[in-house]
Amino acid sequence: MMKQNKLTKTVCVALISAGAMFSAPQASAQLLGLGVNTDARVGVQVGRAPEPRRHSSYSFTYNGYTSGHWYQAGHTHRAYHYDPYYGGYDCHTRFQYGWQHGDRVRYESTFCYDRYDRAHERRGTRVAIRID
């Protein structure tokens, strides 16, 4: 029992000492006899502020197309032709103008019809092209 109390005291003292050394690094370095450089330098830099983000919440018109709406790129007639690559019927390209990271972009994507005649965008086919 005596050895266990002695071991417990030794572990507690070691933990408290380690905590004190890590909590005050300069004081612990002085206790260990290490040279500590206490010179502190403060500097001020003057620079330009970051550019403000461009406003991207309003709609705009580009080449006669209003942003935020999908438009068909060319005429698609319904032939009910199944495209195994996209997994849908009568797949065609649509485009839309919008915003991405503060820049105006043109989105292009592939849309297909399902067997219930509902159009849906195929996953992984959307491309964003930045416009000026």
Side-chain angles (χ1 to χ4, degrees):
M1 189 69 159
M2 190 68 143
K3 285 185 176 183
Q4 187 178 7
N5 286 340
K6 199 174 194 182
L7 182 62
T8 305
K9 286 181 184 178
T10 305
V11 170
C12 288
V13 168
L15 289 174
I16 291 171
S17 299
M21 291 179 98
F22 288 117
S23 65
Q26 183 177 357
S28 62
Q30 288 175 349
L31 286 175
L32 294 174
L34 300 175
V36 178
N37 185 3
T38 58
D39 294 337
R41 294 186 180 170
V42 177
V44 177
Q45 285 185 329
V46 178
R48 292 179 23 197
E51 290 186 28
R53 288 195 60 135
R54 288 179 255 173
H55 192 59
S56 62
S57 62
Y58 61 89
S59 64
F60 63 94
T61 302
Y62 189 82
N63 286 343
Y65 297 101
T66 305
S67 63
H69 302 285
W70 286 102
Y71 299 98
Q72 287 187 357
H75 177 68
T76 302
H77 64 287
R78 294 304 312 272
Y80 299 99
H81 171 65
Y82 184 77
D83 189 340
Y85 182 77
Y86 292 116
Y89 292 91
D90 297 330
C91 298
H92 59 279
T93 303
R94 291 186 185 180
F95 67 92
Q96 155 182 329
Y97 292 103
W99 295 96
Q100 184 177 31
H101 306 299
D103 294 324
R104 295 191 317 175
V105 294
R106 174 185 165 123
Y107 293 110
E108 291 186 2
S109 187
T110 301
F111 283 77
C112 296
Y113 292 94
D114 62 6
R115 61 182 167 184
Y116 301 111
D117 224 17
R118 295 178 296 208
H120 60 281
E121 181 180 10
R122 297 305 303 168
R123 180 175 287 175
T125 60
R126 186 179 291 198
V127 178
I129 304 164
R130 191 174 63 123
I131 58 176
D132 294 322

